[in-house]
Amino acid sequence: MRSFLLAFLCGLLAIKAQENGESQFGAWYMYFGMNRISEKLSIHSEAQFRYYETLDNFNQLLLRTGLNYHIGSNAIATAGYAFIRTDPSFLENEGGLDSREHRIFQQFILTNKVWEFLFEHRYRLEQRFIDFGNRTETQHRARYRLQLTLPLTGTFFLNFYDELFINLQDQLYDQNRLYGAFGIRITENSNVQLGYLRNQFASAVFDRMQIGFFYNPDLRGIFKKKVKS
């Protein structure tokens, strides 16, 4: 009898994992940019394409931008906006609705270096306006990310972070993201990272491959020319 109950519960868990894509190894393809326009200001640009499976089964599109104010060499304050479109279902359901979210965020980043280790602390508040198709909700969330970058050579480096998401209404715990990646510096202001993300929610855990391209151009010369002209 115990064996039957155990097999039954395992079967239910397997079905649930299949329905939400938890059993699949998905992928996030990402671009991040910090575009410097003056001594104190830069523009954040970001696009992420997330899939339940490595190259198939759309999950989420995230587009984000913001204005960065560089307080000093190790402190940045940001205010910005993001648009997120999400397909919440792993299986293709006829008549299923994708949610659309308009998000406002504020964040503060502090960096410090200990020997060769570069630490980054990111604090973020989000105001989320979500349209589920048949209802709308306003949600608020806080996030904290601790990131560590370790140079291996002038070209190669390792990057790790852990980020905790806290809801400011209803259930406190939202999710936790644990990330590790191998990075390659292409130029002085660009790099590529290939990594693994463990995205843990209250009732599910998703494993995701991440490929990220980071490009931080210095556009101050262009803006100075426009001002002079």
Side-chain angles (χ1 to χ4, degrees):
M1 184 64 179
R2 289 181 180 177
S3 299
F4 171 76
L5 289 174
L6 181 61
F8 179 71
L9 290 174
C10 289
L12 288 178
L13 290 173
I15 291 172
K16 181 181 178 182
Q18 184 180 12
E19 287 178 348
N20 63 15
E22 186 179 0
S23 61
Q24 299 295 320
F25 190 71
W28 292 7
Y29 303 98
M30 310 173 296
Y31 153 79
F32 299 92
M34 182 184 289
N35 309 274
R36 200 69 177 259
I37 59 174
S38 73
E39 189 65 27
K40 290 292 185 180
L41 299 176
S42 64
I43 297 172
H44 176 81
S45 53
E46 179 180 344
Q48 297 193 35
F49 304 88
R50 301 173 177 177
Y51 294 88
Y52 284 109
E53 300 171 271
T54 307
L55 292 170
D56 194 18
N57 202 339
F58 168 79
N59 173 213
Q60 191 172 74
L61 165 69
L62 186 150
L63 303 173
R64 181 158 38 212
T65 188
L67 182 64
N68 301 316
Y69 180 75
H70 296 255
I71 301 169
S73 60
N74 63 344
I76 304 173
T78 306
Y81 164 80
F83 171 78
I84 302 96
R85 177 190 164 196
T86 304
D87 179 356
S89 60
F90 170 69
L91 300 177
E92 297 299 329
N93 298 322
E94 291 186 9
L97 297 175
D98 289 359
S99 69
R100 285 167 170 77
E101 175 182 346
H102 299 278
R103 182 185 301 175
I104 300 170
F105 72 95
Q106 307 82 38
Q107 75 179 24
F108 182 60
I109 293 177
L110 281 173
T111 59
N112 66 289
K113 192 173 182 181
V114 180
W115 296 302
E116 295 300 318
F117 299 92
L118 178 63
F119 291 89
E120 179 184 283
H121 306 266
R122 189 179 76 183
Y123 308 86
R124 179 180 289 176
L125 290 174
E126 297 176 332
Q127 300 81 51
R128 309 172 64 200
F129 307 94
I130 310 172
D131 183 355
F132 292 99
N134 51 11
R135 73 183 196 282
T136 59
E137 285 186 13
T138 299
Q139 300 179 6
H140 301 271
R141 189 167 65 183
R143 300 166 56 170
Y144 168 68
R145 188 184 76 182
L146 174 61
Q147 180 173 271
L148 168 65
T149 303
L150 174 62
L152 299 177
T153 67
T155 302
F156 303 111
F157 62 94
L158 299 176
N159 194 25
F160 306 94
Y161 73 68
D162 187 78
E163 183 170 19
L164 178 64
F165 294 61
I166 297 295
N167 292 317
L168 302 181
Q169 70 284 309
D170 302 327
Q171 182 179 336
L172 186 65
Y173 176 80
D174 180 65
Q175 60 181 284
N176 189 81
R177 294 178 182 174
L178 183 63
Y179 170 80
F182 177 75
I184 303 173
R185 300 189 190 281
I186 303 172
T187 64
E188 184 179 352
N189 58 5
S190 66
N191 69 79
V192 173
Q193 296 183 28
L194 175 62
Y196 162 75
L197 176 77
R198 177 182 173 86
N199 199 176
Q200 182 167 357
F201 294 84
S203 58
V205 178
F206 296 93
D207 299 299
R208 295 292 181 257
M209 175 183 72
Q210 291 199 340
I211 298 177
F213 175 63
F214 298 75
Y215 180 50
N216 304 316
D218 190 336
L219 306 176
R220 282 176 286 189
I222 297 175
F223 280 85
K224 284 181 181 179
K225 290 178 182 178
K226 287 186 177 181
V227 172
K228 288 181 181 178
S229 63

